Amino acid sequence: MSGWSASGLRRWGEAAQSCFVGRRAERAQLRKAWQAAREGSRQVRFVGGEPGAGKSHLLAQLAADLRSDDATVLVGACPSTLASPYEPFVAPVAAMRTAIADGALSLAGRPPDEEAVARTVALLDTVAGERPAGSASRRDLLDAVVTSVRSAAAVEPLALLLDDVHWAGETAWELLSYLVEQTTDLRLLLVATQRVTATDRTDRLVNHVAGLYRLDGVRRVDLPPLATDDVEEYLLKEAKVPAVLARTVAVDLHDRTGGNAYFVRELVQTLSALGPAGFVHPEGRMPPSVQDAVEARLGTLEPGARATVERAAVIGDVVDVDLLVATGGTEPEEALGHLDAALDAHLIEPVDDTATVVRFRHAIAREVVLGAMPSARRAGLHLRVARALEARGGRGATHVAQMAHHFEAAQVLGHREEAVRYLRLAAVLAAEGLAHDEAADLYERAAAIDDDRQRADDGILLAARERALTGAFIRARALAEPIADDAASAHRLRAAVLYEDANWRTNVGAGRSVALLRAALDSTGDPDDELQVRALAGLGRALVFDGEDEQGDSLVESSIARARELGGDDLLRDVLVTSLVHGSSVTDADVKLGRAAELSELCLRTHDLLRLGPGASYRTLLGYQRGDTTMIQAGRADLRLAVEGTHEAYFAYLAGCLDFSRHVGAGRLARAAQASEALLEIDDAVELDASVGLDGPYGVQQFVLRREQGELEAVRGLLSDDDDFGERWVPGLLALYTELGMHDAARRALWWLLESGAIDASPGIRAGVLTILSDAAVALGDVDAGRLVRAALVPYAGLNIMFGALVSAMGSADRYLGSLGALLGTEDWEADFARAEAMDRRMGAHLHVAHTLAAHAMAHFTTGADGCDVAALAAEARRIATPIGSQRVLRMLDVVDGARARRADGLTEREVEVLRLVAQGLSNREIARSLVISENTAANHVRSILLKTGCENRTRAARYATTQGLLD
């Protein structure tokens, strides 16, 4: 690339010059991946192995190979200690940032644009930890990195090599995942190394990597132990062992090391130090473990050199020589002499030829050096390093993180105040860089060692805020609750506000929120005005969420008025967000729509995507409830903007629920299933409490799908007529009982819910539960239950019903009112079905149209009422439901059609049974055997069927059974 060379390449040059053996299959896999990448098919390889397997060495060799192929190579690594939240991308991003700023690298797909270049450079500075994000969103940062990679790959094929990603944090993994997802069309090879041992192979790491394997071009490369032949080759090439000895020594080395590449190298270095005789009968000369080998090598150093190596180990994997000198109190020449001794002992190696930076030959070597030091000495060295870093000055994220790490390690020596100060500063910088997970971790670490109780509480609440921003609502709630419940804490009210804000999105009751807020408001003397407004608004939302709509709405309304008096868009936006909880009342919809519209306008004007999400979500909910497709589309567009701009999992969850409901209503069941599976992955990030069943919202969606597709029979064996309701979600049980025809159990569950008042326990899902109760009352023909359920459903007349925040769309409330009206004999049930059908058609909800038509036809069947072409209703419902695959609708239509045929031709139930068997081609003898009747009786039934239906023979009778829908 003319005018640009990636920085950091020489770091790998030194390692690549050493002897490299084996790994032929793995290198071939990587070369094949590179060829595919050169042709425009982005390739990703995760190289995994145990510590010392040779992952970094393989990456070094790959870098050398690609450099000889005229590739652009960018390299980055994750240190084992606290560093920038965006490691391992900092070094690659810095290289691209410099090239873009200097004009050596043009932004892909853009004409020369100084403003775009300046903005991209600023965003890359944020990733590098050099400046705060300001008004930029997480999506802006991620896109800036992707744009830079696109720009580099547009010039020539690009290799991005990332070492030790098992040490990467959540923010870096999000960037890695986004980069992989957005670059499928690039000439890019991304290779990342990771440890796969139990202590390093965390659930978080496994989930991140597993989530990427679903993408094209993403594969894993496992590094097995070296073979004996590889060890022999290494002895011949590196140690110049005579061929006559090499095989025997190789067998001994392989047996002792298990083929671990680093251990092999260490033992060979040990034997080489003894001269040619070292490889003759080497068994007694070989240390039994890597740790012993490194400790033995450390023991060869004189005390001053050993002390220098120990200081280097405390500093980190990569060591700035100037910093090392500053921590030692020795002359530079003496320190460099110590480093030369450590180099000769094969403990460290230079990073490049400038002699300004060295590194440990392997992380294992550094770990052994640290482990051999007494804890008091180690803490003292951390303090010296911290002081040296502090004297240097600087506020970059990486520099501050290093000071925080070292002061934290030295806090046992009486330096807690500095540790807390720098941990909190590092948290601030992480938050400014939109690295919320890392910011929360840092705040919690500071609070854990803080002797100042009030400041510690403040840190915990700052951590809770950062957790909530990542969708970790349960963890945020758990952090805030003890402080909100502590009458002695000066932050009690603030904690109660944070608790409620995290709690309402987790699908649990708000009783605890109400109690904490009331207690905090009562015990606070003279709180901050804005905090008091937020607390009262939160209390109002909690009350609405708990079913106290009138009292809650009153508090919210007064909070909005007070926020307007105090002025400031920030407070008003917060209170407007609080006012949009989805309660049990539908009478305040116009008021809440006005609030949502105002909130959206404010957010779009100020580019506040975090608060735009709730406003947009509520507009989609209200749009669906009203059947207003224009409102749904506008809200959905803004919700997508919030999702893409913030990368917040909670907004993705809301958008995913909307997509699921759209697909279900339209009858796109396969796409709905895909949306539900995607939501299951989001659920893990969002931390939603499973208050509506064992699998929470996912369970509701899966039930809706399986009920529609006739796949519930598989769970019959898990149910019984006397299930204990104490530990189960009873509405879900009732729905299963109803669909499976378990009438006794269904009646018991139905009345348990009605008599206990359980349907009012969770206002957010109350409307959805009413649809389950309605289906049960109608199926059981229970007039008394139907009367109670219909009274609860009447306020929803003319509206659509949803489960929760569009967890699933249930269709028009008028359909359920019509079925209940038919059961109760009300006068207007025909009009209910007419309004339901009109709503369903206006929404383009084909599945719900089929359900409404089928329910309408069923109502005529059960009541015997005339005045409607039932055959036409059933025929259209069948025409819609068949291609959709709605077995539930088709099963209902079979009942209707069979009943209609029996009523029209006077067939008895037994004759219908016989006719079904005739249609299957059974003879009279076979029919008699199947129904346990005499053959003569079977023949009489067949003659009666032919007479009643007017069919000349059995073939026409079979056709009649098919056309009348009498077959199972």
Side-chain angles (χ1 to χ4, degrees):
M1 183 179 302
S2 177
W4 180 50
S5 62
S7 64
L9 292 177
R10 284 182 299 180
R11 170 182 178 182
W12 299 102
E14 186 77 20
Q17 292 170 11
S18 62
C19 177
F20 190 92
V21 299
R23 306 301 181 208
R24 293 172 182 80
E26 293 79 13
R27 291 178 71 184
Q29 292 179 55
L30 294 175
R31 282 196 298 269
K32 183 178 180 181
W34 172 242
Q35 291 306 315
R38 287 180 62 90
E39 295 169 5
S41 174
R42 188 270 295 119
Q43 298 294 308
V44 179
R45 296 296 182 269
F46 286 100
V47 178
E50 66 176 355
K55 303 179 294 298
S56 298
H57 204 184
L58 176 62
L59 209 61
Q61 188 62 47
L62 176 63
D65 292 344
L66 296 180
R67 286 274 289 163
S68 65
D69 199 21
D70 295 326
T72 297
V73 184
L74 294 174
V75 297
C78 292
S80 58
T81 56
L82 189 59
S84 167
Y86 289 95
E87 292 287 8
F89 289 97
V90 171
V93 163
M96 293 185 290
R97 181 259 183 225
T98 300
I100 293 170
D102 293 345
L105 180 61
S106 299
L107 296 182
R110 291 176 177 270
D113 183 342
E114 291 184 5
E115 183 177 346
V117 169
R119 176 168 172 76
T120 301
V121 168
L123 292 168
L124 295 179
D125 281 342
T126 297
V127 174
E130 297 301 323
R131 73 167 75 187
S135 61
S137 68
R138 182 80 73 93
R139 174 66 178 270
D140 293 332
L141 297 180
L142 302 183
D143 281 340
V145 176
V146 171
T147 297
S148 302
V149 171
R150 283 189 172 278
S151 302
V155 177
E156 62 184 13
L158 173 66
L160 180 58
L161 310 182
L162 307 176
D163 201 21
D164 293 331
V165 296
H166 51 274
W167 284 321
E170 287 294 321
T171 300
W173 272 107
E174 182 179 351
L175 175 52
L176 176 58
S177 299
Y178 188 74
L179 179 64
V180 172
E181 291 170 354
Q182 299 296 317
T183 55
T184 55
D185 58 334
L186 293 193
R187 297 182 298 170
L188 170 66
L189 171 65
L190 190 156
V191 181
T193 68
Q194 59 178 2
R195 291 183 178 181
V196 295
T197 45
T199 54
D200 299 295
R201 194 171 181 268
T202 63
D203 290 341
R204 176 182 62 82
L205 175 65
V206 170
N207 291 337
H208 281 305
V209 176
L212 292 174
Y213 283 144
R214 60 184 169 80
L215 302 175
D216 291 339
V218 181
R219 302 286 186 274
R220 62 182 292 170
V221 176
D222 294 317
L223 294 189
L226 293 175
T228 302
D229 289 346
D230 300 327
V231 178
E232 182 179 3
E233 181 183 359
Y234 185 75
L235 289 168
L236 292 169
K237 290 183 176 179
E238 182 72 9
K240 310 302 182 184
V241 175
V244 68
L245 287 177
R247 185 65 185 180
T248 301
V249 176
V251 171
D252 288 343
L253 282 175
H254 189 272
D255 288 344
R256 187 175 294 276
T257 64
N260 182 280
Y262 177 64
F263 197 6
V264 168
R265 186 169 67 159
E266 288 302 301
L267 293 189
V268 170
Q269 294 288 353
T270 298
L271 297 175
S272 295
L274 300 174
F279 294 96
V280 179
H281 304 299
E283 299 89 344
R285 302 184 178 96
M286 287 194 289
S289 69
V290 174
Q291 180 173 338
D292 292 319
V294 175
E295 288 181 345
R297 197 155 296 149
L298 192 62
T300 66
L301 300 177
E302 54 91 9
R306 176 168 182 149
T308 297
V309 171
E310 289 175 343
R311 292 201 310 277
V314 168
I315 289 173
D317 304 301
V318 178
V319 183
D320 182 322
V321 174
D322 288 339
L323 178 61
L324 181 65
V325 170
T327 63
T330 58
E331 293 298 320
E333 293 79 5
E334 184 179 1
L336 292 177
H338 294 163
L339 291 179
D340 285 339
L343 184 67
D344 291 340
H346 302 288
L347 290 167
I348 63 169
E349 60 188 9
V351 170
D352 54 41
D353 56 8
T354 64
T356 60
V357 184
V358 297
R359 66 180 175 196
F360 281 86
R361 283 164 58 92
H362 197 282
I364 294 175
R366 175 173 174 260
E367 291 163 6
V368 170
V369 174
L370 288 174
M373 296 168 58
S375 59
R377 172 165 170 73
R378 194 164 55 243
L381 290 179
H382 276 294
L383 179 60
R384 289 164 68 177
V385 174
R387 290 295 191 208
L389 287 169
E390 190 176 40
R392 284 186 169 188
R395 197 179 181 277
T398 300
H399 182 72
V400 172
Q402 289 173 346
M403 283 192 290
H405 164 68
H406 291 295
F407 272 120
E408 183 183 24
Q411 57 94 13
V412 296
L413 301 179
H415 295 274
R416 290 190 179 183
E417 191 66 27
E418 294 100 322
V420 170
R421 180 168 71 252
Y422 285 114
L423 283 169
R424 286 175 65 102
L425 179 55
V428 169
L429 295 177
E432 288 179 349
L434 306 183
H436 301 300
D437 282 293
E438 289 76 8
D441 289 339
L442 289 163
Y443 278 127
E444 289 187 54
R445 285 166 63 170
I449 61 173
D450 199 342
D451 294 324
D452 184 326
R453 172 69 180 280
Q454 301 306 330
R455 187 174 59 188
D457 283 355
D458 172 72
I460 291 294
L461 295 181
L462 289 171
R465 180 195 64 188
E466 298 298 323
R467 295 293 182 202
L469 288 172
T470 68
F473 301 124
I474 295 175
R475 281 181 287 175
R477 194 177 62 192
L479 289 171
E481 185 174 14
I483 300 173
D485 206 24
D486 183 1
S489 176
H491 301 289
R492 186 180 191 186
L493 186 59
R494 178 174 151 219
V497 170
L498 277 168
Y499 179 92
E500 186 279 330
D501 188 54
N503 183 74
W504 75 271
R505 287 175 282 192
T506 61
N507 289 335
V508 296
R512 182 62 172 156
S513 296
V514 170
L516 290 173
L517 281 166
R518 281 179 168 162
L521 284 165
D522 290 343
S523 66
T524 303
D526 185 25
D528 175 83
D529 283 342
E530 290 195 3
L531 179 58
Q532 176 123 25
V533 171
R534 286 185 168 91
L536 290 172
L539 178 57
R541 175 167 60 189
L543 287 168
V544 171
F545 197 82
D546 230 24
E548 301 292 337
D549 289 67
E550 185 175 348
Q551 185 181 1
D553 282 337
S554 176
L555 277 175
V556 168
E557 192 64 44
S558 62
S559 299
I560 293 174
R562 182 63 178 143
R564 295 189 196 282
E565 291 175 9
L566 291 173
D569 285 346
D570 190 65
L571 176 61
L572 181 58
R573 288 195 299 266
D574 278 346
V575 175
L576 287 174
V577 167
T578 307
S579 74
L580 298 181
V581 65
H582 179 55
S584 58
S585 173
V586 294
T587 60
D588 59 355
D590 289 335
V591 173
K592 288 186 177 179
L593 177 59
R595 295 171 184 167
E598 180 182 6
L599 174 62
S600 296
E601 188 277 327
L602 281 171
C603 292
L604 289 170
R605 176 163 53 81
T606 58
H607 199 63
D608 184 351
L609 300 183
L610 280 172
R611 295 178 180 90
L612 177 65
S617 173
Y618 193 80
R619 283 157 55 212
T620 61
L621 301 184
L622 193 56
Y624 176 73
Q625 192 176 70
R626 292 184 164 191
D628 187 331
T629 56
T630 301
M631 189 185 302
I632 295 173
Q633 291 168 0
R636 181 170 180 262
D638 284 349
L639 184 56
R640 284 294 173 191
L641 181 62
V643 171
E644 294 171 359
T646 66
H647 273 237
E648 297 300 336
Y650 184 63
F651 297 154
Y653 164 77
L654 295 175
C657 285
L658 173 60
D659 288 343
F660 175 84
S661 293
R662 288 173 56 246
H663 292 320
V664 166
R668 298 187 292 264
L669 301 184
R671 294 183 65 182
Q674 292 172 354
S676 182
E677 293 301 325
L679 278 169
L680 185 61
E681 296 180 12
I682 296 174
D683 276 354
D684 293 336
V686 176
E687 291 192 348
L688 298 176
D689 281 327
S691 66
V692 291
L694 295 177
D695 296 314
Y698 175 77
V700 171
Q701 292 173 349
Q702 291 301 302
F703 168 76
V704 168
L705 289 174
R706 295 181 186 185
R707 178 175 67 172
E708 211 60 53
Q709 296 168 319
E711 297 176 354
L712 294 178
E713 192 63 37
V715 304
R716 184 185 293 274
L718 304 176
L719 303 173
S720 67
D721 287 341
D722 57 354
D723 284 312
D724 181 8
F725 294 157
E727 299 297 325
R728 312 288 286 276
W729 189 57
V730 183
L733 283 176
L734 174 58
L736 289 170
Y737 294 150
T738 302
E739 292 301 313
L740 295 173
M742 299 173 64
H743 290 171
D744 290 340
R747 186 170 288 103
R748 187 168 68 92
L750 174 62
W751 280 102
W752 186 90
L753 288 166
L754 291 172
E755 291 176 343
S756 67
I759 61 172
D760 296 320
S762 299
I765 62 171
R766 182 174 185 271
V769 171
L770 288 175
T771 66
I772 294 175
L773 298 177
S774 174
D775 288 339
V778 171
L780 295 170
D782 192 323
V783 173
D784 291 333
R787 187 175 294 108
L788 294 172
V789 176
R790 192 172 192 279
L793 270 171
V794 164
Y796 298 92
L799 303 173
N800 281 315
I801 287 182
M802 70 193 90
F803 227 110
L806 268 180
V807 169
S808 183
M810 310 305 289
S812 171
D814 289 312
R815 182 212 313 163
Y816 300 97
L817 289 169
S819 293
L820 290 167
L823 172 66
L824 301 173
T826 61
E827 296 181 358
D828 56 351
W829 61 269
E830 285 275 18
D832 290 333
F833 281 119
R835 286 192 298 271
E837 184 180 341
M839 169 71 86
D840 296 337
R841 292 187 187 281
R842 185 169 73 247
M843 295 288 293
H846 306 303
L847 177 61
H848 293 154
V849 171
H851 270 293
T852 296
L853 294 172
H856 194 178
M858 179 65 80
H860 277 279
F861 156 58
T862 57
T863 62
D866 296 323
C868 184
D869 189 346
V870 176
L873 289 174
E876 184 178 3
R878 190 177 292 277
R879 178 182 61 79
I880 297 172
T882 299
I884 288 175
S886 174
Q887 297 301 316
R888 187 178 183 222
V889 171
L890 295 174
R891 192 168 59 247
M892 188 186 307
L893 294 174
D894 287 345
V895 174
V896 172
D897 288 345
R900 187 165 49 84
R902 292 193 296 275
R903 182 175 295 130
D905 299 318
L907 296 177
T908 66
E909 291 296 333
R910 174 61 84 178
E911 287 170 343
V912 171
E913 288 184 274
V914 172
L915 179 55
R916 289 193 180 113
L917 297 176
V918 169
Q920 294 174 25
L922 272 64
S923 66
N924 288 348
R925 177 175 296 177
E926 291 169 330
I927 291 171
R929 187 180 301 115
S930 176
L931 297 179
V932 194
I933 57 178
S934 69
E935 186 175 348
N936 185 56
T937 300
N940 290 335
H941 283 313
V942 171
R943 282 193 294 271
S944 177
I945 290 168
L946 297 177
L947 180 63
K948 290 180 178 180
T949 60
C951 296
E952 297 92 339
N953 52 44
R954 298 170 77 98
T955 300
R956 287 192 175 276
R959 187 178 303 164
Y960 171 90
T962 301
T963 59
Q964 296 300 325
L966 298 181
L967 301 182
D968 292 333

